[in-house]
Short mmCIF file of all heavy atoms in Angstrom, two decimals:
data_model
loop_
_atom_site.label_atom_id
_atom_site.label_comp_id
_atom_site.label_asym_id
_atom_site.label_seq_id
_atom_site.Cartn_x
_atom_site.Cartn_y
_atom_site.Cartn_z
N SER E 3 204.15 166.82 -83.47
CA SER E 3 204.13 168.08 -84.19
C SER E 3 204.78 169.16 -83.34
O SER E 3 204.83 169.05 -82.13
CB SER E 3 202.70 168.47 -84.53
OG SER E 3 201.95 168.72 -83.36
N LYS E 4 205.26 170.22 -83.97
CA LYS E 4 205.82 171.34 -83.23
C LYS E 4 204.70 172.10 -82.55
O LYS E 4 203.59 172.19 -83.06
CB LYS E 4 206.56 172.29 -84.17
CG LYS E 4 207.84 171.73 -84.73
CD LYS E 4 208.52 172.78 -85.54
CE LYS E 4 209.81 172.27 -86.12
NZ LYS E 4 210.53 173.30 -86.84
N GLY E 5 204.99 172.68 -81.39
CA GLY E 5 203.99 173.44 -80.66
C GLY E 5 204.39 174.89 -80.54
O GLY E 5 205.49 175.18 -80.11
N TRP E 6 203.50 175.79 -80.89
CA TRP E 6 203.82 177.22 -80.81
C TRP E 6 203.48 177.79 -79.45
O TRP E 6 203.79 178.92 -79.17
CB TRP E 6 203.11 177.97 -81.93
CG TRP E 6 203.67 177.58 -83.24
CD1 TRP E 6 203.04 176.85 -84.21
CD2 TRP E 6 204.97 177.83 -83.74
NE1 TRP E 6 203.88 176.63 -85.27
CE2 TRP E 6 205.07 177.23 -85.01
CE3 TRP E 6 206.08 178.49 -83.24
CZ2 TRP E 6 206.23 177.29 -85.77
CZ3 TRP E 6 207.23 178.55 -84.01
CH2 TRP E 6 207.27 177.96 -85.26
N GLU E 7 202.84 177.04 -78.56
CA GLU E 7 202.56 177.51 -77.21
C GLU E 7 203.35 176.69 -76.20
O GLU E 7 203.00 176.64 -75.03
CB GLU E 7 201.07 177.39 -76.90
CG GLU E 7 200.20 178.31 -77.72
CD GLU E 7 199.89 177.74 -79.09
OE1 GLU E 7 199.80 176.52 -79.24
OE2 GLU E 7 199.77 178.53 -80.04
N GLY E 8 204.42 176.04 -76.63
CA GLY E 8 205.22 175.25 -75.72
C GLY E 8 204.68 173.85 -75.50
O GLY E 8 205.21 173.10 -74.69
N MET E 9 203.63 173.47 -76.20
CA MET E 9 203.01 172.16 -76.04
C MET E 9 203.39 171.28 -77.23
O MET E 9 203.36 171.72 -78.37
CB MET E 9 201.49 172.29 -76.00
CG MET E 9 200.76 170.98 -76.04
SD MET E 9 200.05 170.42 -74.50
CE MET E 9 199.45 171.86 -73.74
N ILE E 10 203.76 170.03 -76.93
CA ILE E 10 204.06 169.05 -77.96
C ILE E 10 203.08 167.90 -77.79
O ILE E 10 202.87 167.43 -76.67
CB ILE E 10 205.50 168.52 -77.82
CG1 ILE E 10 206.51 169.67 -77.90
CG2 ILE E 10 205.78 167.45 -78.89
CD1 ILE E 10 207.89 169.29 -77.42
N GLU E 11 202.48 167.46 -78.87
CA GLU E 11 201.57 166.31 -78.83
C GLU E 11 202.04 165.25 -79.80
O GLU E 11 202.45 165.57 -80.91
CB GLU E 11 200.15 166.74 -79.19
CG GLU E 11 199.53 167.68 -78.19
CD GLU E 11 198.12 168.08 -78.55
OE1 GLU E 11 197.71 167.90 -79.73
OE2 GLU E 11 197.41 168.57 -77.66
N ILE E 12 201.95 163.99 -79.38
CA ILE E 12 202.21 162.86 -80.26
C ILE E 12 200.87 162.18 -80.50
O ILE E 12 200.15 161.84 -79.55
CB ILE E 12 203.20 161.86 -79.63
CG1 ILE E 12 204.55 162.53 -79.42
CG2 ILE E 12 203.35 160.62 -80.52
CD1 ILE E 12 205.58 161.65 -78.76
N ARG E 13 200.54 162.02 -81.78
CA ARG E 13 199.24 161.44 -82.16
C ARG E 13 199.45 160.29 -83.13
O ARG E 13 200.43 160.25 -83.87
CB ARG E 13 198.36 162.50 -82.81
CG ARG E 13 197.98 163.60 -81.85
CD ARG E 13 197.06 164.61 -82.51
NE ARG E 13 196.61 165.59 -81.56
CZ ARG E 13 195.49 165.47 -80.84
NH1 ARG E 13 194.71 164.43 -81.01
NH2 ARG E 13 195.15 166.42 -79.98
N ARG E 14 198.48 159.37 -83.15
CA ARG E 14 198.49 158.29 -84.14
C ARG E 14 198.22 158.90 -85.50
O ARG E 14 197.31 159.71 -85.66
CB ARG E 14 197.41 157.26 -83.83
CG ARG E 14 197.76 156.34 -82.69
CD ARG E 14 196.67 155.29 -82.51
NE ARG E 14 196.47 154.55 -83.73
CZ ARG E 14 196.97 153.35 -83.98
NH1 ARG E 14 197.70 152.76 -83.07
NH2 ARG E 14 196.73 152.73 -85.11
N ARG E 15 199.01 158.51 -86.47
CA ARG E 15 198.86 159.06 -87.82
C ARG E 15 197.52 158.68 -88.44
O ARG E 15 196.87 159.52 -89.07
CB ARG E 15 199.99 158.55 -88.71
CG ARG E 15 199.85 158.99 -90.15
CD ARG E 15 200.90 158.40 -91.00
NE ARG E 15 201.97 159.38 -91.12
CZ ARG E 15 203.04 159.19 -91.82
NH1 ARG E 15 203.25 158.08 -92.45
NH2 ARG E 15 203.96 160.12 -91.90
N ASP E 16 197.07 157.45 -88.25
CA ASP E 16 195.86 156.99 -88.93
C ASP E 16 194.57 157.48 -88.29
O ASP E 16 193.58 157.71 -88.98
CB ASP E 16 195.86 155.46 -89.06
CG ASP E 16 196.01 154.75 -87.73
OD1 ASP E 16 196.37 155.39 -86.73
OD2 ASP E 16 195.77 153.53 -87.69
N THR E 17 194.54 157.67 -86.96
CA THR E 17 193.30 158.04 -86.29
C THR E 17 193.32 159.42 -85.65
O THR E 17 192.27 159.96 -85.31
CB THR E 17 192.96 157.02 -85.18
OG1 THR E 17 193.95 157.12 -84.15
CG2 THR E 17 192.87 155.61 -85.74
N GLY E 18 194.51 159.98 -85.44
CA GLY E 18 194.61 161.26 -84.75
C GLY E 18 194.51 161.15 -83.24
O GLY E 18 194.53 162.16 -82.54
N GLU E 19 194.43 159.92 -82.73
CA GLU E 19 194.34 159.70 -81.29
C GLU E 19 195.57 160.28 -80.57
O GLU E 19 196.70 160.04 -80.99
CB GLU E 19 194.24 158.20 -81.00
CG GLU E 19 194.32 157.84 -79.54
CD GLU E 19 194.48 156.34 -79.32
OE1 GLU E 19 194.55 155.57 -80.30
OE2 GLU E 19 194.55 155.95 -78.15
N LEU E 20 195.32 161.03 -79.50
CA LEU E 20 196.40 161.60 -78.70
C LEU E 20 197.07 160.50 -77.90
O LEU E 20 196.42 159.80 -77.14
CB LEU E 20 195.87 162.68 -77.76
CG LEU E 20 196.88 163.34 -76.84
CD1 LEU E 20 197.92 164.11 -77.65
CD2 LEU E 20 196.17 164.25 -75.86
N LEU E 21 198.39 160.34 -78.10
CA LEU E 21 199.15 159.31 -77.38
C LEU E 21 199.92 159.89 -76.20
O LEU E 21 200.05 159.24 -75.17
CB LEU E 21 200.11 158.60 -78.34
CG LEU E 21 199.47 157.91 -79.52
CD1 LEU E 21 200.54 157.37 -80.46
CD2 LEU E 21 198.55 156.79 -79.05
N GLN E 22 200.44 161.10 -76.36
CA GLN E 22 201.21 161.72 -75.28
C GLN E 22 201.26 163.22 -75.50
O GLN E 22 201.23 163.69 -76.63
CB GLN E 22 202.63 161.15 -75.23
CG GLN E 22 203.44 161.49 -74.01
CD GLN E 22 202.79 161.02 -72.73
OE1 GLN E 22 202.02 161.75 -72.11
NE2 GLN E 22 203.07 159.80 -72.33
N ARG E 23 201.32 163.95 -74.39
CA ARG E 23 201.43 165.41 -74.43
C ARG E 23 202.59 165.81 -73.53
O ARG E 23 202.74 165.30 -72.43
CB ARG E 23 200.14 166.03 -73.95
CG ARG E 23 200.16 167.55 -73.94
CD ARG E 23 198.82 168.12 -73.55
NE ARG E 23 197.90 167.94 -74.66
CZ ARG E 23 196.62 167.60 -74.51
NH1 ARG E 23 196.11 167.39 -73.32
NH2 ARG E 23 195.85 167.46 -75.56
N PHE E 24 203.39 166.76 -74.01
CA PHE E 24 204.55 167.25 -73.27
C PHE E 24 204.43 168.76 -73.13
O PHE E 24 204.27 169.46 -74.14
CB PHE E 24 205.85 166.94 -74.03
CG PHE E 24 206.00 165.51 -74.43
CD1 PHE E 24 205.55 165.08 -75.66
CD2 PHE E 24 206.58 164.58 -73.58
CE1 PHE E 24 205.68 163.76 -76.05
CE2 PHE E 24 206.71 163.26 -73.96
CZ PHE E 24 206.26 162.85 -75.19
N SER E 25 204.52 169.26 -71.92
CA SER E 25 204.52 170.71 -71.71
C SER E 25 205.12 171.01 -70.35
O SER E 25 205.00 170.23 -69.41
CB SER E 25 203.12 171.30 -71.82
OG SER E 25 202.31 170.86 -70.76
N ASP E 26 205.78 172.16 -70.27
CA ASP E 26 206.38 172.62 -69.03
C ASP E 26 205.53 173.79 -68.54
O ASP E 26 205.57 174.86 -69.14
CB ASP E 26 207.82 173.05 -69.28
CG ASP E 26 208.56 173.39 -68.00
OD1 ASP E 26 207.90 173.69 -66.98
OD2 ASP E 26 209.79 173.38 -68.01
N PRO E 27 204.75 173.61 -67.47
CA PRO E 27 203.86 174.69 -67.02
C PRO E 27 204.59 175.94 -66.54
O PRO E 27 204.03 177.02 -66.51
CB PRO E 27 203.07 174.05 -65.89
CG PRO E 27 203.90 172.91 -65.42
CD PRO E 27 204.68 172.44 -66.63
N ASP E 28 205.87 175.80 -66.20
CA ASP E 28 206.64 176.95 -65.72
C ASP E 28 207.21 177.79 -66.85
O ASP E 28 207.50 178.96 -66.67
CB ASP E 28 207.79 176.48 -64.82
CG ASP E 28 207.27 175.80 -63.56
OD1 ASP E 28 206.18 176.19 -63.08
OD2 ASP E 28 207.94 174.88 -63.08
N GLU E 29 207.41 177.18 -68.01
CA GLU E 29 208.02 177.87 -69.16
C GLU E 29 207.31 177.46 -70.44
O GLU E 29 207.45 176.33 -70.89
CB GLU E 29 209.50 177.49 -69.28
CG GLU E 29 210.36 177.92 -68.12
CD GLU E 29 210.64 179.42 -68.12
OE1 GLU E 29 210.51 180.06 -69.18
OE2 GLU E 29 210.98 179.92 -67.05
N GLU E 30 206.55 178.36 -71.03
CA GLU E 30 205.84 178.06 -72.27
C GLU E 30 206.62 178.57 -73.47
O GLU E 30 206.14 179.38 -74.25
CB GLU E 30 204.44 178.65 -72.22
CG GLU E 30 203.56 178.01 -71.17
CD GLU E 30 202.14 178.53 -71.20
OE1 GLU E 30 201.84 179.47 -71.95
OE2 GLU E 30 201.32 177.98 -70.46
N ASP E 31 207.86 178.11 -73.61
CA ASP E 31 208.70 178.51 -74.73
C ASP E 31 208.16 177.95 -76.03
O ASP E 31 207.53 176.90 -76.06
CB ASP E 31 210.13 177.98 -74.54
CG ASP E 31 210.81 178.56 -73.33
OD1 ASP E 31 210.52 179.71 -72.98
OD2 ASP E 31 211.64 177.86 -72.73
N LEU E 32 208.45 178.63 -77.12
CA LEU E 32 208.05 178.16 -78.44
C LEU E 32 208.98 177.04 -78.88
O LEU E 32 210.20 177.15 -78.77
CB LEU E 32 208.10 179.31 -79.45
CG LEU E 32 207.25 180.52 -79.10
CD1 LEU E 32 207.41 181.59 -80.18
CD2 LEU E 32 205.81 180.17 -78.92
N VAL E 33 208.42 175.96 -79.41
CA VAL E 33 209.19 174.79 -79.84
C VAL E 33 209.74 175.04 -81.24
O VAL E 33 209.02 175.42 -82.15
CB VAL E 33 208.30 173.53 -79.84
CG1 VAL E 33 209.09 172.33 -80.31
CG2 VAL E 33 207.70 173.29 -78.47
N GLU E 34 211.06 174.80 -81.42
CA GLU E 34 211.72 174.99 -82.72
C GLU E 34 212.17 173.69 -83.36
O GLU E 34 212.23 173.60 -84.57
CB GLU E 34 212.97 175.86 -82.54
CG GLU E 34 212.71 177.29 -82.26
CD GLU E 34 213.97 178.09 -82.36
OE1 GLU E 34 214.95 177.78 -81.67
OE2 GLU E 34 213.98 179.04 -83.16
N ALA E 35 212.53 172.69 -82.56
CA ALA E 35 213.11 171.47 -83.13
C ALA E 35 212.77 170.28 -82.24
O ALA E 35 212.69 170.41 -81.02
CB ALA E 35 214.63 171.62 -83.24
N LEU E 36 212.58 169.11 -82.87
CA LEU E 36 212.27 167.87 -82.15
C LEU E 36 213.10 166.73 -82.71
O LEU E 36 213.31 166.65 -83.92
CB LEU E 36 210.79 167.50 -82.32
CG LEU E 36 209.75 168.47 -81.81
CD1 LEU E 36 208.37 168.06 -82.28
CD2 LEU E 36 209.80 168.54 -80.29
N VAL E 37 213.54 165.83 -81.82
CA VAL E 37 214.24 164.62 -82.26
C VAL E 37 214.06 163.54 -81.19
O VAL E 37 214.11 163.82 -80.00
CB VAL E 37 215.73 164.88 -82.56
CG1 VAL E 37 216.50 165.26 -81.31
CG2 VAL E 37 216.36 163.70 -83.25
N PHE E 38 213.83 162.30 -81.64
CA PHE E 38 213.73 161.16 -80.74
C PHE E 38 215.09 160.50 -80.58
O PHE E 38 215.90 160.49 -81.51
CB PHE E 38 212.75 160.11 -81.29
CG PHE E 38 211.31 160.49 -81.15
CD1 PHE E 38 210.64 161.08 -82.19
CD2 PHE E 38 210.63 160.25 -79.97
CE1 PHE E 38 209.31 161.44 -82.08
CE2 PHE E 38 209.30 160.60 -79.83
CZ PHE E 38 208.64 161.19 -80.88
N SER E 39 215.33 159.92 -79.40
CA SER E 39 216.53 159.11 -79.19
C SER E 39 216.43 157.87 -80.07
O SER E 39 215.33 157.50 -80.52
CB SER E 39 216.65 158.71 -77.71
OG SER E 39 215.56 157.89 -77.33
N PRO E 40 217.55 157.19 -80.35
CA PRO E 40 217.52 156.00 -81.22
C PRO E 40 216.56 154.91 -80.72
O PRO E 40 215.99 154.18 -81.54
CB PRO E 40 218.96 155.51 -81.20
CG PRO E 40 219.77 156.73 -80.94
CD PRO E 40 218.93 157.57 -79.99
N ASP E 41 216.33 154.82 -79.41
CA ASP E 41 215.42 153.80 -78.89
C ASP E 41 213.99 154.32 -78.70
O ASP E 41 213.13 153.62 -78.18
CB ASP E 41 215.95 153.21 -77.58
CG ASP E 41 216.06 154.24 -76.46
OD1 ASP E 41 215.64 155.41 -76.65
OD2 ASP E 41 216.57 153.88 -75.39
N ASP E 42 213.72 155.55 -79.11
CA ASP E 42 212.40 156.19 -79.03
C ASP E 42 211.89 156.38 -77.60
O ASP E 42 210.71 156.62 -77.39
CB ASP E 42 211.35 155.42 -79.84
CG ASP E 42 211.58 155.50 -81.33
OD1 ASP E 42 212.13 156.51 -81.79
OD2 ASP E 42 211.22 154.54 -82.04
N ARG E 43 212.77 156.34 -76.62
CA ARG E 43 212.33 156.49 -75.23
C ARG E 43 212.42 157.93 -74.74
O ARG E 43 211.76 158.30 -73.78
CB ARG E 43 213.16 155.58 -74.34
CG ARG E 43 212.93 154.10 -74.69
CD ARG E 43 213.81 153.20 -73.92
NE ARG E 43 213.32 153.14 -72.54
CZ ARG E 43 213.86 152.41 -71.60
NH1 ARG E 43 214.93 151.69 -71.86
NH2 ARG E 43 213.36 152.39 -70.40
N ILE E 44 213.25 158.75 -75.40
CA ILE E 44 213.45 160.14 -75.01
C ILE E 44 213.16 161.04 -76.21
O ILE E 44 213.58 160.75 -77.33
CB ILE E 44 214.90 160.39 -74.53
CG1 ILE E 44 215.25 159.49 -73.35
CG2 ILE E 44 215.12 161.87 -74.19
CD1 ILE E 44 214.46 159.76 -72.10
N LEU E 45 212.44 162.13 -75.96
CA LEU E 45 212.20 163.15 -76.97
C LEU E 45 212.98 164.40 -76.55
O LEU E 45 212.79 164.91 -75.44
CB LEU E 45 210.72 163.48 -77.07
CG LEU E 45 210.34 164.63 -78.00
CD1 LEU E 45 210.68 164.29 -79.45
CD2 LEU E 45 208.87 164.97 -77.86
N ALA E 46 213.88 164.86 -77.41
CA ALA E 46 214.60 166.11 -77.16
C ALA E 46 213.89 167.21 -77.93
O ALA E 46 213.60 167.07 -79.11
CB ALA E 46 216.05 165.99 -77.63
N ALA E 47 213.59 168.30 -77.23
CA ALA E 47 212.90 169.43 -77.84
C ALA E 47 213.72 170.69 -77.64
O ALA E 47 214.12 171.01 -76.52
CB ALA E 47 211.52 169.60 -77.22
N GLY E 48 213.98 171.40 -78.74
CA GLY E 48 214.69 172.68 -78.69
C GLY E 48 213.68 173.80 -78.73
O GLY E 48 212.72 173.76 -79.50
N TYR E 49 213.87 174.81 -77.88
CA TYR E 49 212.92 175.89 -77.71
C TYR E 49 213.56 177.24 -78.00
O TYR E 49 214.77 177.41 -77.82
CB TYR E 49 212.39 175.93 -76.27
CG TYR E 49 211.60 174.71 -75.89
CD1 TYR E 49 212.23 173.53 -75.51
CD2 TYR E 49 210.21 174.74 -75.89
CE1 TYR E 49 211.50 172.41 -75.15
CE2 TYR E 49 209.48 173.62 -75.53
CZ TYR E 49 210.13 172.46 -75.17
OH TYR E 49 209.41 171.35 -74.81
N VAL E 50 212.74 178.22 -78.39
CA VAL E 50 213.17 179.60 -78.47
C VAL E 50 213.64 179.97 -77.07
O VAL E 50 213.08 179.53 -76.08
CB VAL E 50 212.00 180.51 -78.91
CG1 VAL E 50 212.35 181.97 -78.77
CG2 VAL E 50 211.57 180.19 -80.32
N GLY E 51 214.67 180.79 -76.99
CA GLY E 51 215.19 181.14 -75.67
C GLY E 51 216.36 180.26 -75.28
O GLY E 51 216.78 180.27 -74.13
N PHE E 52 216.85 179.46 -76.24
CA PHE E 52 218.06 178.66 -76.04
C PHE E 52 217.90 177.65 -74.91
O PHE E 52 218.75 177.54 -74.03
CB PHE E 52 219.27 179.56 -75.84
CG PHE E 52 219.36 180.64 -76.88
CD1 PHE E 52 219.27 181.96 -76.53
CD2 PHE E 52 219.50 180.32 -78.21
CE1 PHE E 52 219.34 182.97 -77.49
CE2 PHE E 52 219.57 181.30 -79.18
CZ PHE E 52 219.50 182.63 -78.82
N ARG E 53 216.79 176.91 -74.93
CA ARG E 53 216.55 175.85 -73.96
C ARG E 53 216.35 174.53 -74.71
O ARG E 53 215.78 174.51 -75.79
CB ARG E 53 215.31 176.15 -73.13
CG ARG E 53 215.46 177.32 -72.20
CD ARG E 53 214.12 177.60 -71.53
NE ARG E 53 214.25 178.60 -70.50
CZ ARG E 53 214.17 179.91 -70.71
NH1 ARG E 53 213.99 180.37 -71.94
NH2 ARG E 53 214.28 180.76 -69.71
N VAL E 54 216.79 173.45 -74.09
CA VAL E 54 216.54 172.11 -74.60
C VAL E 54 215.97 171.30 -73.44
O VAL E 54 216.52 171.30 -72.34
CB VAL E 54 217.82 171.44 -75.15
CG1 VAL E 54 217.55 169.99 -75.53
CG2 VAL E 54 218.35 172.22 -76.35
N ARG E 55 214.87 170.61 -73.71
CA ARG E 55 214.26 169.74 -72.70
C ARG E 55 214.28 168.31 -73.22
O ARG E 55 214.03 168.06 -74.40
CB ARG E 55 212.82 170.16 -72.42
CG ARG E 55 212.72 171.46 -71.67
CD ARG E 55 211.25 171.84 -71.47
NE ARG E 55 211.12 173.06 -70.72
CZ ARG E 55 211.20 174.29 -71.25
NH1 ARG E 55 211.42 174.44 -72.54
NH2 ARG E 55 211.07 175.36 -70.48
N LEU E 56 214.58 167.38 -72.31
CA LEU E 56 214.50 165.95 -72.61
C LEU E 56 213.27 165.41 -71.91
O LEU E 56 213.12 165.53 -70.69
CB LEU E 56 215.76 165.23 -72.11
CG LEU E 56 217.09 165.70 -72.68
CD1 LEU E 56 218.22 164.85 -72.12
CD2 LEU E 56 217.09 165.67 -74.20
N TRP E 57 212.38 164.80 -72.71
CA TRP E 57 211.11 164.28 -72.21
C TRP E 57 211.11 162.75 -72.25
O TRP E 57 211.60 162.15 -73.20
CB TRP E 57 209.96 164.78 -73.08
CG TRP E 57 209.79 166.25 -73.09
CD1 TRP E 57 210.24 167.12 -74.05
CD2 TRP E 57 209.13 167.05 -72.12
NE1 TRP E 57 209.89 168.40 -73.72
CE2 TRP E 57 209.20 168.39 -72.55
CE3 TRP E 57 208.46 166.76 -70.93
CZ2 TRP E 57 208.65 169.43 -71.82
CZ3 TRP E 57 207.91 167.81 -70.21
CH2 TRP E 57 208.00 169.12 -70.65
N ASP E 58 210.53 162.14 -71.23
CA ASP E 58 210.31 160.69 -71.20
C ASP E 58 209.06 160.42 -72.03
O ASP E 58 207.96 160.88 -71.69
CB ASP E 58 210.12 160.22 -69.76
CG ASP E 58 210.00 158.73 -69.65
OD1 ASP E 58 209.07 158.15 -70.27
OD2 ASP E 58 210.82 158.12 -68.95
N VAL E 59 209.20 159.69 -73.13
CA VAL E 59 208.09 159.48 -74.05
C VAL E 59 206.97 158.66 -73.40
O VAL E 59 205.79 158.95 -73.59
CB VAL E 59 208.58 158.80 -75.36
CG1 VAL E 59 207.42 158.41 -76.25
CG2 VAL E 59 209.53 159.74 -76.10
N ALA E 60 207.29 157.67 -72.61
CA ALA E 60 206.27 156.80 -72.00
C ALA E 60 205.43 157.54 -70.97
O ALA E 60 204.22 157.35 -70.90
CB ALA E 60 206.93 155.58 -71.36
N THR E 61 206.06 158.41 -70.17
CA THR E 61 205.34 159.05 -69.06
C THR E 61 204.96 160.49 -69.33
O THR E 61 204.09 161.04 -68.64
CB THR E 61 206.19 159.03 -67.78
OG1 THR E 61 207.34 159.87 -67.97
CG2 THR E 61 206.61 157.62 -67.41
N GLY E 62 205.63 161.14 -70.29
CA GLY E 62 205.39 162.55 -70.56
C GLY E 62 206.09 163.47 -69.58
O GLY E 62 205.90 164.68 -69.62
N GLN E 63 206.91 162.93 -68.72
CA GLN E 63 207.60 163.71 -67.69
C GLN E 63 208.90 164.32 -68.22
O GLN E 63 209.60 163.71 -69.01
CB GLN E 63 207.92 162.84 -66.48
CG GLN E 63 206.69 162.29 -65.79
CD GLN E 63 205.81 163.39 -65.25
OE1 GLN E 63 206.27 164.26 -64.51
NE2 GLN E 63 204.54 163.36 -65.62
N LEU E 64 209.20 165.51 -67.71
CA LEU E 64 210.44 166.18 -68.04
C LEU E 64 211.59 165.46 -67.34
O LEU E 64 211.56 165.26 -66.13
CB LEU E 64 210.39 167.64 -67.57
CG LEU E 64 211.62 168.50 -67.84
CD1 LEU E 64 211.86 168.64 -69.33
CD2 LEU E 64 211.44 169.86 -67.19
N ARG E 65 212.60 165.06 -68.11
CA ARG E 65 213.77 164.36 -67.54
C ARG E 65 214.92 165.32 -67.26
O ARG E 65 215.64 165.16 -66.28
CB ARG E 65 214.26 163.28 -68.51
CG ARG E 65 213.26 162.23 -68.88
CD ARG E 65 213.33 160.96 -68.09
NE ARG E 65 214.64 160.40 -67.92
CZ ARG E 65 215.11 159.31 -68.49
NH1 ARG E 65 214.35 158.65 -69.34
NH2 ARG E 65 216.30 158.87 -68.22
N GLN E 66 215.13 166.30 -68.16
CA GLN E 66 216.28 167.19 -68.02
C GLN E 66 216.00 168.49 -68.75
O GLN E 66 215.35 168.49 -69.80
CB GLN E 66 217.52 166.53 -68.62
CG GLN E 66 218.80 167.29 -68.46
CD GLN E 66 219.37 167.18 -67.06
OE1 GLN E 66 219.33 166.12 -66.47
NE2 GLN E 66 219.88 168.27 -66.54
N LEU E 67 216.48 169.59 -68.22
CA LEU E 67 216.38 170.90 -68.85
C LEU E 67 217.78 171.48 -68.99
O LEU E 67 218.54 171.50 -68.02
CB LEU E 67 215.52 171.84 -68.01
CG LEU E 67 215.49 173.32 -68.40
CD1 LEU E 67 214.89 173.50 -69.78
CD2 LEU E 67 214.72 174.12 -67.37
N PHE E 68 218.13 171.92 -70.19
CA PHE E 68 219.42 172.55 -70.46
C PHE E 68 219.14 174.01 -70.83
O PHE E 68 218.27 174.29 -71.64
CB PHE E 68 220.15 171.86 -71.61
CG PHE E 68 220.45 170.42 -71.33
CD1 PHE E 68 219.61 169.42 -71.80
CD2 PHE E 68 221.58 170.06 -70.62
CE1 PHE E 68 219.89 168.08 -71.56
CE2 PHE E 68 221.87 168.73 -70.37
CZ PHE E 68 221.02 167.74 -70.83
N LEU E 69 219.93 174.93 -70.26
CA LEU E 69 219.71 176.36 -70.47
C LEU E 69 220.92 177.04 -71.09
O LEU E 69 222.03 176.51 -71.07
CB LEU E 69 219.45 177.05 -69.12
CG LEU E 69 218.25 176.55 -68.33
CD1 LEU E 69 218.25 177.20 -66.96
CD2 LEU E 69 216.96 176.84 -69.06
N ALA E 70 220.68 178.26 -71.60
CA ALA E 70 221.71 179.22 -71.97
C ALA E 70 222.66 178.76 -73.06
O ALA E 70 223.85 178.94 -72.97
CB ALA E 70 222.49 179.66 -70.74
N HIS E 71 222.13 178.19 -74.11
CA HIS E 71 222.95 177.92 -75.30
C HIS E 71 223.14 179.22 -76.03
O HIS E 71 222.25 180.07 -76.08
CB HIS E 71 222.25 176.88 -76.17
CG HIS E 71 223.12 176.34 -77.26
ND1 HIS E 71 223.32 177.00 -78.43
CD2 HIS E 71 223.82 175.21 -77.33
CE1 HIS E 71 224.12 176.28 -79.20
NE2 HIS E 71 224.46 175.19 -78.56
N GLU E 72 224.27 179.44 -76.62
CA GLU E 72 224.56 180.72 -77.25
C GLU E 72 224.06 180.86 -78.68
O GLU E 72 224.16 181.89 -79.29
CB GLU E 72 226.05 181.01 -77.22
CG GLU E 72 226.88 180.05 -78.04
CD GLU E 72 228.37 180.27 -77.89
OE1 GLU E 72 228.83 180.47 -76.78
OE2 GLU E 72 229.05 180.25 -78.93
N ASP E 73 223.48 179.79 -79.24
CA ASP E 73 223.00 179.85 -80.62
C ASP E 73 221.65 179.18 -80.69
O ASP E 73 221.23 178.47 -79.78
CB ASP E 73 224.00 179.15 -81.54
CG ASP E 73 223.84 179.54 -82.99
OD1 ASP E 73 222.96 180.37 -83.29
OD2 ASP E 73 224.58 179.02 -83.82
N SER E 74 220.94 179.35 -81.79
CA SER E 74 219.62 178.78 -81.99
C SER E 74 219.68 177.26 -82.14
O SER E 74 220.69 176.72 -82.59
CB SER E 74 218.97 179.39 -83.23
OG SER E 74 217.72 178.80 -83.48
N THR E 75 218.58 176.56 -81.79
CA THR E 75 218.53 175.12 -81.92
C THR E 75 218.02 174.67 -83.28
O THR E 75 218.08 173.52 -83.61
CB THR E 75 217.61 174.51 -80.84
OG1 THR E 75 216.32 175.10 -80.94
CG2 THR E 75 218.20 174.72 -79.45
N SER E 76 217.47 175.58 -84.08
CA SER E 76 216.95 175.19 -85.40
C SER E 76 218.02 175.36 -86.46
O SER E 76 218.93 176.16 -86.33
CB SER E 76 215.71 176.02 -85.74
OG SER E 76 216.06 177.37 -85.87
N TYR E 77 217.89 174.60 -87.54
CA TYR E 77 218.83 174.67 -88.64
C TYR E 77 218.13 174.96 -89.93
O TYR E 77 217.08 174.55 -90.17
CB TYR E 77 219.59 173.34 -88.77
CG TYR E 77 220.48 173.08 -87.58
CD1 TYR E 77 220.01 172.35 -86.50
CD2 TYR E 77 221.75 173.59 -87.55
CE1 TYR E 77 220.83 172.12 -85.41
CE2 TYR E 77 222.57 173.36 -86.46
CZ TYR E 77 222.10 172.62 -85.40
OH TYR E 77 222.92 172.40 -84.33
#
């Protein structure tokens, strides 16, 4: 689901069990867009403030941060 406090959670649809949580403690940007890589190993998240973060789905760790895009990430 999208996170309005910069937090993203992945939960089981049938039980609501929390499977993974993604957040950057240094930057609590508002989440605007989410997309998984074709192999479901990376989650790309677009944030207010023109930032994109790539998250490792298995570990919840931040893999890459991209800054200073000149346009919004949402469509």
